[in-house]
Amino acid sequence: MLSAAFLVQALLATAAFAIPSGKERMASRRSRRSDVTRQSKPVNLITNPQTTNVSHVEYSENWAGAVLVASTATYKAVTGTFTVPTPKSTGGSSEQCASAWVGIDGDTCDSAILQTGIDFCVTGSSVSYDGWYEFYVTDDFSGISFSAGDSVTVTATVISTTEGTLTIENNSKGTTVSTTVSSSSKLCEYNAEWIVEDFEECGSTCELVPFANFGTVEFTGAEATTSSGTVTPAAATLIDIEQNSVLTSVSVSGSSVTVSYV
């Protein structure tokens, strides 16, 4: 007969073997993404929100944050620094995610969007992070990793209406990745934004991923570059996510944009 101690050790060994590492979870997620496409989409505004809050101009099903809006080509770059959060599940066993990013266009100009940021996902108690960039084609950055509590700076820079540079700096780990991308979709340079998003995954259809409780993401040092200098998001339009109920609370103070899950 097997001893109780042996059985306990066997169970612990089996449990340890069954728990995937962060790298394994990311590999599994990227493998799953071979069958689906991760994409950010232009802001999907709600024309008749269930909640009216005079401190927020707009509600959306997928964006929460701050957007600077111009009527002519204005914004050449956008940057912000935030602390990588620890996402928490809101219930159930499925993967839940959110994404923090900065970008050019995608609001009043929906013909293109130049953006970069970090996805943070949770399944049960397992958390994973993924740095990415998009100019209407999304790809993952390699050569950089993230942990909860890391200070990260994300920057999108316009080279031309069809080309831009996207950069992520992990200030805590001392690593930087950058890429220059081009697209046949043309930027308007009307919008600069600091956003937490409920992004889409697309297979035969596109659906928003289950939205994780991301806690709070505060973009500090938030600036947008124009031909005449830099501006802060102080005059930005604020957007909250509403999905049956309002899920976020956004505020702006000087060069900081704070987005909280509520």
Side-chain angles (χ1 to χ4, degrees), residues 82-83 85 100 120 195-196 214-219 257-261:
F82 63 91
T83 299
F120 20 94
I195 299 295
V196 173
F214 58 87
T216 295
V217 171
E218 181 182 7
F219 294 93
V257 176
T258 303
V259 186
S260 297
Y261 189 93

Side-chain angles (χ1 to χ4, degrees), residues 11 29-30 38 40 79 107-108 114 149 160 164 171 176 179 190 193 206 213 222 230-231 234-235 247-248 255:
L11 287 170
R29 185 166 173 237
R30 286 178 173 166
R38 179 247 186 257
S40 289
T79 190
D107 188 316
T108 55
L114 179 73
S160 70
N171 305 307
T176 299
T179 188
Y190 291 173
E193 55 250 344
C206 292
N213 178 351
T230 59
V231 294
L247 300 180
T248 61
S255 59

Side-chain angles (χ1 to χ4, degrees), residues 133-218:
Y133 58 91
E134 181 173 333
F135 195 177
Y136 268 1
V137 174
T138 304
D139 203 355
D140 292 332
F141 274 119
S142 60
I144 193 167
S145 63
F146 310 96
S147 303
D150 284 353
S151 168
V152 173
T153 300
V154 285
T155 305
T157 304
V158 176
I159 298 174
S160 70
T161 57
T162 58
E163 189 175 22
T165 298
L166 300 162
T167 304
I168 301 180
E169 303 171 70
N170 189 324
N171 305 307
S172 299
K173 290 183 167 64
T175 53
T176 299
V177 289
S178 186
T179 188
T180 297
V181 292
S182 59
S183 174
S184 59
S185 300
K186 290 189 176 182
L187 295 165
C188 307
E189 302 173 23
Y190 291 173
N191 310 132
E193 55 250 344
W194 300 263
I195 299 295
V196 173
E197 182 181 12
D198 184 4
F199 60 86
E200 286 187 340
E201 286 188 339
C202 299
S204 57
T205 60
C206 292
E207 296 182 355
L208 295 174
V209 299
F211 196 41
N213 178 351
F214 58 87
T216 295
V217 171
E218 181 182 7

Side-chain angles (χ1 to χ4, degrees), residues 94-106:
S94 65
E95 181 183 63
Q96 300 176 7
C97 301
S99 187
W101 53 266
V102 299
I104 300 291
D105 289 338

Side-chain angles (χ1 to χ4, degrees), residues 65-144:
V67 181
L68 289 171
V69 178
S71 57
T72 59
T74 299
Y75 300 109
K76 308 299 182 183
V78 60
T79 190
T81 299
F82 63 91
T83 299
V84 176
T86 302
K88 296 180 180 178
S89 174
T90 59
S93 59
S94 65
E95 181 183 63
Q96 300 176 7
C97 301
S99 187
W101 53 266
V102 299
I104 300 291
D105 289 338
D107 188 316
T108 55
C109 174
D110 62 4
S111 60
I113 184 168
L114 179 73
Q115 57 187 156
T116 188
I118 299 175
D119 293 347
F120 20 94
C121 297
V122 58
T123 305
S125 59
S126 299
V127 174
S128 62
Y129 301 99
D130 195 13
W132 57 271
Y133 58 91
E134 181 173 333
F135 195 177
Y136 268 1
V137 174
T138 304
D139 203 355
D140 292 332
F141 274 119
S142 60
I144 193 167

